[in-house]
């Protein structure tokens, strides 16, 4: 049995029901896991082959239960390439969710704002991405049972889900920005020159996650929605140094609004 199937088998045996929606929480956003009702909490260390989350602000646990009456699996913490994981390890959780039958995936992250119209605390709905991480999680032999060799990425960010998210934000009385996410390797933050380059090629946001997860989710025919919290303006946008504690603090400060939005989206995702 391969490691993905082994992890999925373990979760089938330990979860009271299989989730229909997966939610991945980014830096400083882990509090949403506490909102899951009838929850079953499984630390990542207990799941066979599951990579540990070592980044600050990533608790490292799977919380399964119900949000707005829907069956969900919330991942409080993710694995990053900059932690030394391979692209396959960094997307292991997404593979397992796909094998469990999860058809809808909501990804969240903390990101640096490049678009000058953004402000720290803005929530941005991703419409596309630019992969500058130097790798692709689909490289190597293709597992045909998971997906086709050359999956298309034109509609990677499922347009109907984006429409639902916009309606939910409007219903809560705030504007959900739209943007293109540039994924870089990290862990160092970008230089001002790199940010000028990213802006020139069309990026609105920059971060160190999400892109590989989206590629794998699309490969496994999952419908993807992704939302960034602008936790800081990127290097050179303001005359100050970047600080990871600022990233975490901004994420926490906006956690309640983010939680309201996610709850509303989950409630309407399968209408």
């Amino acid at each position: 049995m391969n490691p993905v199937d082994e992890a999925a088998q373990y979760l089938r045996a330990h979860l009271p029901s299989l989730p229909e929606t997966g939610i991945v929480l980014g830096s400083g956003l882990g509090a949403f896991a506490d909102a899951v009702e009838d929850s079953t909490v499984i630390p990542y260390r207990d799941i066979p082959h599951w990579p540990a989350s070592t980044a600050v602000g990533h608790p490292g646990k799977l919380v399964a239960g119900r949000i707005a009456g829907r069956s969900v699996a919330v991942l409080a913490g993710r694995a990053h390439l900059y932690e030394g994981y391979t692209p396959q390890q960094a997307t292991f959780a997404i593979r397992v969710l796909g094998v469990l039958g999860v058809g809808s995936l909501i990804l969240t992250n903390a990101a640096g704002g490049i678009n000058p119209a953004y402000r720290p605390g803005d929530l941005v709905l991703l419409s596309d991405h630019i992969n500058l991480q130097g790798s692709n999680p689909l490289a190597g032999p293709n597992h045909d049972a998971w997906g086709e060799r050359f999956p298309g990425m034109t509609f990677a960010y499922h347009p109907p889900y984006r429409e639902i998210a916009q309606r939910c934000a409007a219903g809560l009385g705030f504007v959900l920005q739209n943007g293109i996410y540039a994924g870089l390797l990290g862990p160092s933050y970008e230089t001002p020159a790199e940010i000028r380059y990213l802006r020139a090629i069309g990026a609105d946001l920059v971060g160190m996650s999400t892109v590989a997860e989206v590629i794998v989710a699309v490969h496994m025919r999952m419908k993807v929605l992704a939302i960034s919290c602008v936790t800081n303006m990127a290097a050179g946008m303001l005359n100050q140094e970047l600080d990871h504690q600022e990233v975490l603090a901004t994420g926490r400060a906006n956690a309640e609004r983010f939680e309201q939005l996610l709850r509303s989206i989950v409630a309407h995702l399968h209408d």
Side-chain angles (χ1 to χ4, degrees):
M1 184 181 297
N2 68 53
V4 170
D5 288 334
E6 188 175 342
Q9 183 181 64
Y10 176 90
L11 290 175
R12 286 192 189 98
H14 288 80
L15 297 179
S17 62
L18 294 181
E20 58 184 342
T21 301
I23 304 171
V24 180
L25 302 177
S27 297
L29 303 174
F32 180 75
D34 298 331
V36 177
E37 301 166 356
D38 303 321
S39 63
T40 297
V41 180
I42 303 177
Y44 289 167
R45 64 177 178 272
D46 293 348
I47 308 172
H49 310 290
W50 199 287
S53 293
T54 67
V56 176
H58 289 254
K61 59 185 179 181
L62 183 152
V63 182
R66 305 192 76 80
I67 290 285
R70 308 290 191 179
S71 178
V72 300
V74 177
L75 305 186
R78 56 162 48 98
H80 302 83
L81 295 173
Y82 66 72
E83 294 171 85
Y85 290 118
T86 67
Q88 290 72 31
Q89 290 173 316
T91 55
F92 183 84
I94 308 303
R95 287 288 186 207
V96 175
L97 290 181
V99 169
L100 289 175
V102 168
S104 302
L105 183 67
I106 302 174
L107 301 169
T108 71
N109 62 56
I114 297 174
N115 189 321
Y118 296 167
R119 295 292 178 267
D122 281 355
L123 300 182
V124 181
L125 183 64
L126 300 192
S127 59
D128 207 338
H129 71 237
I130 303 170
N131 183 7
L132 297 173
Q133 295 185 320
S135 64
N136 189 303
L138 305 186
N142 188 60
H143 189 3
D144 293 339
W146 289 345
E148 60 182 295
R149 170 80 279 190
F150 301 107
M153 299 295 294
T154 302
F155 302 108
Y157 298 85
H158 194 51
Y161 282 6
R162 289 167 51 206
E163 292 175 7
I164 290 170
Q166 291 284 13
R167 290 198 301 270
C168 289
L172 293 169
F174 66 88
V175 174
L176 188 58
Q177 305 267 25
N178 286 275
I180 297 171
Y181 178 94
L184 273 67
L185 179 60
S188 58
Y189 287 116
E190 302 73 31
T191 68
E194 288 168 338
I195 294 301
R196 290 194 297 272
Y197 164 73
L198 293 175
R199 187 174 175 186
I201 64 173
D204 297 296
L205 301 145
V206 62
M208 305 172 191
S209 68
T210 305
V211 168
E213 295 166 344
V214 172
I215 292 170
V216 164
V218 171
H219 183 241
M220 299 195 78
R221 306 177 188 87
M222 300 165 78
K223 298 173 181 175
V224 177
L225 178 73
I227 304 172
S228 293
C229 178
V230 179
T231 48
N232 58 279
M233 297 308 292
M237 300 295 292
L238 302 174
N239 188 28
Q240 64 186 50
E241 188 57 272
L242 302 183
D243 181 359
H244 190 63
Q245 293 305 313
E246 175 191 355
V247 169
L248 297 178
T250 304
R252 288 191 294 265
N254 289 276
E256 183 176 353
R257 188 164 57 116
F258 214 146
E259 178 179 320
Q260 291 176 338
L261 178 61
L262 289 177
R263 180 181 294 275
S264 179
I265 290 171
V266 171
H268 293 91
L269 211 56
H270 301 285
D271 289 349

